[in-house]
Amino acid sequence: MTGNQSTRRCFLWFIFCGCFLLGALNTTFAQEKLPLILAPLPFDQSALEPFISSQTLAFHYGKHHAAYVNNANELLKGSSLENKSIEELIKATAAKADQVTLFNNIAQAWNHAFFWQCLKPKGGGKPEGKLAKLIEESFGSFAQFKEEFTNSGKTLFGSGWVWLVKDGEKLRIVQTFNAETPLTLNQKPLFVVDVWEHAYYLDFQNRRVDFIKEILENLANWEFAASNL
Ligand code: MN3
């Protein structure tokens, strides 16, 4: 094989592996087709310590999230809904009295997959670029956004999620209860914090506000949020 051929072969392998990796990265969150998969966490299970412990993730990801994925796939077996995309399925089953269990499980699977992407070790800090500009326009300042987001998590009664969404041209903070997701409201989710007790009780007990603050200060993945714009 000549040097040229070998360079060309390397280049083709590089392109092939790159495409494969991009495809794999894509499935970690934006999974489109069923059955649902429990994608690997985008970080090591102990990488978010001391804010979110390995023990919390062992239960939250390994038990709670896994159960939503398994339950949804069981419910979908042989169903006529199997050909829909996951987002279509969430929208199709929302607020349907006979589809409550399926909606709850599939929406929770989606919400959790999204939530893991919103976290990263050594995260926090400030968003940049277009996201930073939109936050300033919508909330006055990043500090004001953080205060409103934290307060939204504090005042959510019961189990649910606090989201930063794009609603038309503006950003908004939205609370959803139980498995509800802004997808069904035609809002574009950018960032979320799970405020179900299972998300923080092992590490923070009843201090939900501290959990939210630690995420904003130390774990928030603003690059992921910006990529959703
Ligand atoms: Mn959860």
Side-chain angles (χ1 to χ4, degrees):
M1 186 159 55
T2 67
N4 254 356
Q5 273 177 319
S6 148
T7 310
R8 187 157 174 266
R9 199 165 276 197
C10 271
F11 179 72
L12 288 173
W13 262 111
F14 179 76
I15 296 291
F16 172 77
C17 294
C19 290
F20 179 78
L21 261 178
L22 274 178
L25 279 175
N26 212 20
T27 57
T28 58
F29 168 63
Q31 192 202 337
E32 288 191 0
K33 291 290 171 192
L34 297 164
L36 279 167
I37 51 160
L38 182 67
L41 285 172
F43 35 73
D44 191 80
Q45 195 173 283
S46 59
L48 306 183
E49 291 187 347
F51 312 108
I52 297 179
S53 65
S54 175
Q55 194 194 13
T56 287
L57 285 178
F59 282 95
H60 196 178
Y61 168 76
K63 303 289 182 194
H64 291 271
H65 186 181
Y68 296 129
V69 169
N70 292 338
N71 292 343
N73 285 334
E74 275 302 311
L75 289 163
L76 280 163
K77 264 186 198 159
S79 139
S80 60
L81 298 164
E82 263 182 326
N83 294 326
K84 288 194 183 293
S85 77
I86 290 164
E87 291 195 21
E88 281 170 350
L89 194 53
I90 289 172
K91 289 176 184 170
T93 54
K96 300 261 162 59
D98 58 339
Q99 303 282 6
V100 173
T101 311
L102 177 57
F103 171 81
N104 283 342
N105 282 285
I106 197 161
Q108 280 295 78
W110 192 95
N111 291 349
H112 281 88
F114 190 87
F115 176 50
W116 307 132
Q117 300 294 326
C118 293
L119 306 174
K120 68 170 192 178
K122 300 197 176 85
K126 283 183 167 187
E128 290 174 3
K130 190 178 171 193
L131 178 60
K133 188 166 171 277
L134 280 170
I135 286 178
E136 270 176 33
E137 283 170 9
S138 304
F139 303 101
S141 67
F142 183 57
Q144 183 64 25
F145 156 74
K146 285 199 289 188
E147 197 180 318
E148 286 181 32
F149 191 91
T150 306
N151 198 44
S152 188
K154 180 183 173 184
T155 56
L156 188 149
F157 190 80
S159 297
W161 303 81
V162 183
W163 305 80
L164 174 65
V165 302
K166 186 155 184 278
D167 189 6
E169 287 312 301
K170 272 215 139 189
L171 302 192
R172 288 180 53 199
I173 294 164
V174 174
Q175 297 177 330
T176 65
F177 295 90
N178 302 316
E180 293 291 337
T181 157
L183 288 178
T184 60
L185 306 169
N186 281 326
Q187 296 164 339
K188 195 191 269 188
L190 305 181
F191 178 81
V192 74
V193 174
D194 184 343
V195 296
W196 282 57
E197 283 186 349
H198 67 223
Y200 59 88
Y201 223 82
L202 291 175
D203 300 323
F204 293 86
Q205 293 75 49
N206 61 330
R207 294 177 291 117
R208 184 195 279 180
V209 166
D210 291 348
F211 166 68
I212 298 166
K213 282 183 178 169
E214 295 294 7
I215 287 184
L216 294 177
E217 295 305 316
N218 298 293
L219 300 175
N221 185 345
W222 295 121
E223 293 83 13
F224 174 71
S227 76
N228 295 313
L229 277 171

